[in-house]
Amino acid sequence: MTDTTTLHHRICPLCEACCGLEIKVRNQQVISIRGHEADVFSAGYICPKGVALKDLHEDPDRLRTPLIKRNGQFETATWDEAFAEIERRLPPVQAAHGRNAVGLVAGNPTAHKIGLLLYLPRLLKALGTRNFFSAATLDQIPRHLVSGLMYGGWMSVPVPDIARTQWLLVLGANPVASNGSMWTVPDFRGKAKALQARGGKLIVIDPRRTETAALADEHHFIRPGADVYLLLGMLHHLLARGPARLGRLEPLVVGLEALREAVQPYAPAVVAPRCGIDAVTIERLADELATAPAAAVYGRIGVNTQDYGSLCAWLIDVLNIVSGHFDTPGGTLFPKAAGFASNTTGTPGQGRGVTTGRFASRVAGAPEVMGEIPITCLAEEIETPGPGQVRALITVATNPVLSAPNGERLSRALQELDFMVSLDIYLNETSRHADVILPGPSPLEDLHFDVPFPQLSWRNHARYSAPVFERARGQPAEWQTLLRLAAIAQGQGAGVDVQALDDALFAEELRKLGDAAPAIQQATQGLSGPARLLDMALRTGPYAASHGLSLARVQAAPAGVDLGPLQPRLPELLRTPDGRVHLAPTPLLTDLARAHAALQAPADPLVIIGRRDVRSNNSWMHNLPVLAKGPERCTALLHPDDAQRLGLSNGQIARIRHGERSITAPVEVSAAMMPGVVSLPHGWGHDLPGSRLQVAAERPGANLNALFTESRRDPLSGNAVLSGVAVEMEPLSL
Ligand SMILES: Nc1nc2c(c(=O)[nH]1)N[C@H]1C(S)=C(S)[C@@H](COP(=O)(O)OP(=O)(O)OC[C@H]3O[C@@H](n4cnc5c(=O)[nH]c(N)nc54)[C@H](O)[C@@H]3O)O[C@H]1N2
Ligand SMILES: Nc1nc2c(c(=O)[nH]1)N[C@H]1C(S)=C(S)[C@@H](COP(=O)(O)OP(=O)(O)OC[C@H]3O[C@@H](n4cnc5c(=O)[nH]c(N)nc54)[C@H](O)[C@@H]3O)O[C@H]1N2
Ligand code: SF4
Ligand SMILES: [Mo]
């Protein structure tokens, strides 16, 4: 190593695995990125996207200055010019049309940036709008809803104790490619192999034989959208074979009788044809779950983004509970994060629970969940005149033109806005509609501490990364940008003293601490922004006393602080008003009627599902050369029998149609597909005019979401249905 080479430790902000990386820098250049072997949590694991952080940092298309659109053309602007333009145009919309006239949309990277995550609520509050939308309603909101209804906290999410389990059932997730979701589990493959090596078993339920299924001891195809019936069938069998094994949880659980009654119609033999899995297998899976010494059921995107997203999330937890593996080592456990977790604050064991539907979306009447309106309502809220119509929009790290159903309509709607601001690092399919784009710094110029993911992690830990590079001159941190926007929205003007504003907000937080406030105020002197909030969170968090956690303590541990294996947390974690686990919440019981009505529904000849590739990340990493190279990734996987029936062959371009709308994609004939199911990844379609994504535009791919209909949602959670939609396919030449 030469004198000028420096070594940096940085948590990867790109996906939920949160890998610790080791980054070598020479002369202000990244010369290598590897997994950090000593990292207490990820132990050296890395995927190709982690390596691509170099390409992201260096990408010439990544925006380094604000852009202002003048006469339809984007022009480079200074930060002061950009904020002045926002101050000129945003407040008049609020003044003329009211607070709900400004909408706010947040996307996936918001969850990976402490500055965005902690300061977005401040912007939302300053705007005072009900029109808040996020990628959660394309993703995991059913999971939050179920956690809220059952345990009283949106973020109280049980995860498999993979280090100790002996039997793991995975539905609708492919962690070998996605690296895990609502479950932070770097190196899933290594952990699954260790499970198998100790005599355990991995079972995958997926309409595609995925990379995870290939690793599994057992894989079963399932008809897309039929998981609810499989789970009901397993539950029926479990409850029929003997009393529920609640063990220590017995006095904590309510609703068992209602549940028993609700599952009556779903004997394995009844649900089997709908699932495409025979009754003997359904019964065996339930028996194995009940008799395994330690077992866990886990489901993700494939079971959340379908017609019965909330029912699936619920039934998965119910299976874990009644089989006796819940909140026990080797089963599913609730992580305990070092800071920011609402299930570690307030009164242990009791709380206010959650409420939904406090208001509804104006046009469709979709109920608010977690303060959010379904993002699939955004276009109609912009298009439909009347009081509360969205006339101006702020987007934060989101690309709904590609990531949400029917982006073509959304694009048209965005074009109609009076004013739009995008906080984004690219001029892409969504931000091209903005009047002002405000870029964030490169991830390597930002400090990092994961806020949500330690609440979802396979092991408790606290890790912090300092910025690798200083921010470029004049480039604000994203929390500062959000505060300036908040100031504009509140009428304080763009010239506001951001530091004074942050101090005032911090003083508000301190007041909530009561007697502890003076000590925290003293300890956090000299800090500001997210670092100060983080220090406060760690110093008042559940490991403050036991581990002496503070920002300084975590900073002093470049490999992170290990906080031990997951532990049972019931009843302490509960925040329901009665301090109980609710096995059969009324909204879910009621929604069963919808599933029941479709129990006999015949199979569509062909339905489409999504997929993820390890070298891609939703819609926004296709511009990085190291990931973009190699074989075409946006292909339509189709079973050989379907290919033959439809006159399609390998490599041929097919038209895929749903109703009036269609896309074209090359066919990849694959026996890994369930017959009657076609698989296409999402996040592609980079051929729209006005974007600045040179590499991505070379191989734009097809936009899966162009096929989907906004109004098809899980009615309870508002989540979009992105799987199991009927399509037709034909050779393009026809
Ligand atoms: N059909 C189908 N559709 C899906 C899914 C699916 O499985 N199938 N998955 C859904 C899921 S799970 C999700 S999470 C959503 C994601 O939906 P979105 O969040 O809307 O989309 P992303 O593709 O993640 O886009 C992230 C945006 O953030 C920008 N960005 C990246 N880093 C930063 C940063 O540091 N700061 C700022 N300000 N901006 C940044 C990128 O340029 C991009 O515009 O997509 C959903 N859409
Ligand atoms: N490489 C990479 N990693 C990512 C992302 C990415 O885009 N690329 N995105 C990140 C994000 S935002 C998220 S939310 C996570 C998601 O993480 P995962 O949930 O693991 O996502 P997928 O890999 O899409 O796996 C979903 C699986 O569900 C299956 N499936 C589809 N329909 C059904 C169904 O009806 N029933 C069942 N049982 N299975 C079904 C699909 O075939 C697919 O294998 O990944 C994150 N990590
Ligand atoms: S799996 Fe890859 S993208 Fe995800 S955190 Fe790790 S290195 Fe980053
Ligand atoms: Mo996601």
Side-chain angles (χ1 to χ4, degrees):
M1 219 184 263
T2 67
D3 287 344
T4 55
T5 305
T6 50
L7 205 55
H8 304 258
H9 294 112
R10 178 65 167 83
I11 299 161
C12 178
L14 298 175
C15 92
E16 295 178 46
C18 306
C19 301
L21 306 180
E22 189 173 274
I23 303 181
K24 250 186 225 173
V25 171
R26 190 182 300 148
N27 301 331
Q28 291 297 306
Q29 295 266 311
V30 172
I31 54 171
S32 73
I33 300 183
R34 301 170 31 192
H36 183 195
E37 300 282 343
D39 188 287
V40 297
F41 182 70
S42 59
Y45 183 73
I46 186 171
C47 88
K49 291 187 297 303
V51 178
L53 275 171
K54 175 179 162 68
D55 284 25
L56 176 58
H57 184 68
E58 295 169 0
D59 187 351
D61 286 339
R62 186 171 59 77
L63 301 178
R64 269 104 173 146
T65 68
L67 300 179
I68 299 180
K69 195 184 275 163
R70 298 196 201 280
N71 303 319
Q73 296 292 319
F74 278 111
E75 292 173 9
T76 300
T78 67
W79 282 89
D80 285 342
E81 285 166 348
F83 282 115
E85 179 71 1
I86 296 167
E87 188 171 7
R88 188 173 74 80
R89 298 185 58 185
L90 191 69
V93 177
Q94 292 173 298
H97 304 289
R99 300 215 151 256
N100 292 331
V102 182
L104 181 64
V105 192
N108 172 277
T110 311
H112 296 267
K113 302 287 166 103
I114 185 171
L116 288 178
L117 199 64
L118 296 184
Y119 285 80
L120 189 80
R122 286 157 168 85
L123 174 59
L124 182 59
K125 196 168 164 208
L127 287 168
T129 179
R130 284 182 170 182
N131 283 312
F132 175 57
F133 312 82
S134 94
T137 48
L138 302 168
D139 188 348
Q140 83 287 6
I141 204 158
R143 179 60 260 182
H144 294 305
L145 175 66
V146 164
S147 287
L149 294 173
M150 295 181 78
Y151 319 116
W154 304 119
M155 275 298 283
S156 292
V157 176
V159 301
D161 183 15
I162 193 163
R164 292 175 287 194
T165 199
Q166 288 296 102
W167 193 89
L168 177 59
L169 177 64
V170 172
L171 300 103
N174 185 14
V176 170
S178 71
N179 284 298
S181 182
M182 296 307 276
W183 183 20
T184 289
V185 57
D187 192 19
F188 175 84
R189 181 193 294 276
K191 291 177 176 62
K193 286 199 159 159
L195 155 77
Q196 290 167 322
R198 60 178 183 263
K201 188 168 176 184
L202 171 67
I203 302 157
V204 172
I205 309 285
D206 198 301
R208 177 168 79 93
R209 192 173 309 111
T210 60
E211 295 82 348
T212 306
L215 183 73
D217 301 276
E218 218 176 290
H219 164 243
H220 302 281
F221 286 136
I222 187 163
R223 261 175 67 189
D227 303 79
V228 61
Y229 305 107
L230 169 66
L231 296 163
L232 284 164
M234 286 176 68
L235 198 54
H236 182 282
H237 185 69
L238 262 185
L239 294 176
R241 80 193 275 285
R245 304 191 329 167
L246 299 175
R248 162 180 84 77
L249 303 185
E250 180 102 48
L252 286 179
V253 168
V254 292
L256 186 60
E257 279 321 302
L259 184 76
R260 198 181 280 285
E261 200 175 314
V263 303
Q264 280 315 313
Y266 306 101
V270 175
V271 298
R274 182 70 164 86
C275 302
I277 300 176
D278 61 68
V280 173
T281 303
I282 297 175
E283 288 173 10
R284 181 176 53 78
L285 290 174
D287 288 336
E288 286 185 13
L289 169 64
T291 53
V297 185
Y298 163 76
R300 200 41 199 102
I301 273 285
V303 291
N304 280 169
T305 58
Q306 51 155 282
D307 286 308
Y308 308 107
S310 298
L311 289 177
C312 287
W314 168 52
L315 292 167
I316 285 171
D317 279 19
V318 167
L319 276 174
N320 282 316
I321 294 171
V322 303
S323 64
H325 300 295
F326 198 68
D327 200 45
T328 57
T332 44
L333 288 163
F334 293 97
K336 188 192 260 186
F340 302 113
S342 54
N343 61 33
T344 60
T345 54
T347 312
Q350 217 178 2
R352 286 213 302 254
V354 301
T355 328
T356 65
R358 290 166 300 171
F359 54 91
S361 76
R362 186 178 58 102
V363 180
E368 152 280 332
V369 177
M370 251 175 23
E372 298 195 20
I373 282 175
I375 198 167
T376 44
C377 294
L378 178 57
E380 67 194 20
E381 291 296 333
I382 298 172
E383 289 164 354
T384 312
Q389 179 183 9
V390 173
R391 291 161 184 272
L393 197 67
I394 302 176
T395 69
V396 179
T398 185
N399 191 10
V401 167
L402 293 190
S403 61
N406 200 357
E408 195 184 338
R409 175 177 174 194
L410 182 58
S411 265
R412 278 198 307 275
L414 296 178
Q415 214 43 50
E416 296 305 310
L417 289 165
D418 292 349
F419 187 57
M420 175 171 161
V421 180
S422 288
L423 266 69
D424 208 288
I425 57 173
Y426 284 107
L427 168 45
N428 65 14
E429 295 78 11
T430 297
S431 62
R432 70 192 168 126
H433 295 290
D435 297 286
V436 180
I437 308 180
L438 303 172
S442 150
L444 298 184
E445 296 166 349
D446 205 0
L447 63 83
H448 188 90
F449 182 93
D450 283 301
V451 174
F453 304 112
Q455 303 181 44
L456 303 163
S457 287
W458 75 278
R459 190 175 170 93
N460 293 317
H461 61 98
R463 296 175 303 153
Y464 170 88
S465 322
V468 176
F469 298 111
E470 273 181 35
R471 287 199 303 276
R473 263 173 73 93
Q475 166 72 53
E478 287 188 292
W479 65 271
Q480 294 169 321
T481 300
L482 288 172
L483 280 186
R484 266 179 103 174
L485 287 175
I488 294 172
Q490 274 167 326
Q492 288 163 288
V496 72
D497 178 347
V498 168
Q499 196 49 59
L501 200 56
D502 189 46
D503 290 344
L505 288 167
F506 188 70
E508 253 173 59
E509 295 297 319
L510 275 179
R511 271 195 292 281
K512 294 182 200 156
L513 294 180
D515 293 348
I520 298 295
Q521 181 165 30
Q522 180 67 28
T524 54
Q525 291 282 334
L527 294 172
S528 66
R532 179 163 57 180
L533 291 167
L534 171 58
D535 196 24
M536 175 172 76
L538 295 173
R539 287 174 184 276
T540 55
Y543 303 93
S546 59
H547 291 71
L549 279 198
S550 64
L551 178 57
R553 165 82 178 86
V554 183
Q555 275 173 327
V561 180
D562 179 40
L563 297 169
L566 304 188
Q567 307 280 352
R569 286 197 60 194
L570 293 181
E572 160 269 311
L573 160 130
L574 296 173
R575 293 295 184 274
T576 45
D578 59 0
R580 298 283 199 281
V581 172
H582 290 244
L583 264 191
T586 307
L588 294 160
L589 283 183
T590 308
D591 196 36
L592 270 179
R594 197 166 53 92
H596 193 261
L599 178 57
Q600 310 297 344
D604 293 302
L606 190 65
V607 296
I608 199 158
I609 63 170
R611 84 173 179 270
R612 281 171 165 76
D613 183 285
V614 75
R615 290 182 171 270
S616 171
N617 196 19
N618 297 327
S619 76
W620 71 276
M621 294 191 70
H622 302 142
N623 208 52
L624 307 180
V626 70
L627 299 179
K629 65 187 185 196
E632 168 99 53
R633 293 194 171 83
C634 188
T635 58
L637 297 182
L638 195 63
H639 188 272
D641 293 351
D642 289 317
Q644 197 182 24
R645 172 171 68 86
L646 298 165
L648 287 161
S649 56
N650 218 20
Q652 197 172 358
I653 306 295
R655 182 169 295 284
I656 310 174
R657 194 188 302 279
H658 175 71
E660 296 288 289
R661 286 179 278 128
S662 73
I663 54 176
T664 59
V667 170
E668 196 176 332
V669 177
S670 165
M673 290 310 300
M674 181 176 190
V677 183
V678 52
S679 155
L680 192 76
H682 76 283
W684 297 85
H686 303 292
D687 49 2
L688 300 176
S691 305
R692 197 180 292 167
L693 298 163
Q694 286 187 53
V695 175
E698 284 170 25
R699 281 204 290 185
N703 179 8
L704 169 62
N705 282 318
L707 295 173
F708 297 148
T709 310
E710 307 90 304
S711 57
R712 189 156 166 194
R713 290 187 284 268
D714 168 29
L716 282 188
S717 66
N719 208 87
V721 173
L722 306 171
S723 185
V725 172
V727 291
E728 289 163 30
M729 249 174 115
E730 65 197 10
L732 182 59
S733 52
L734 283 187

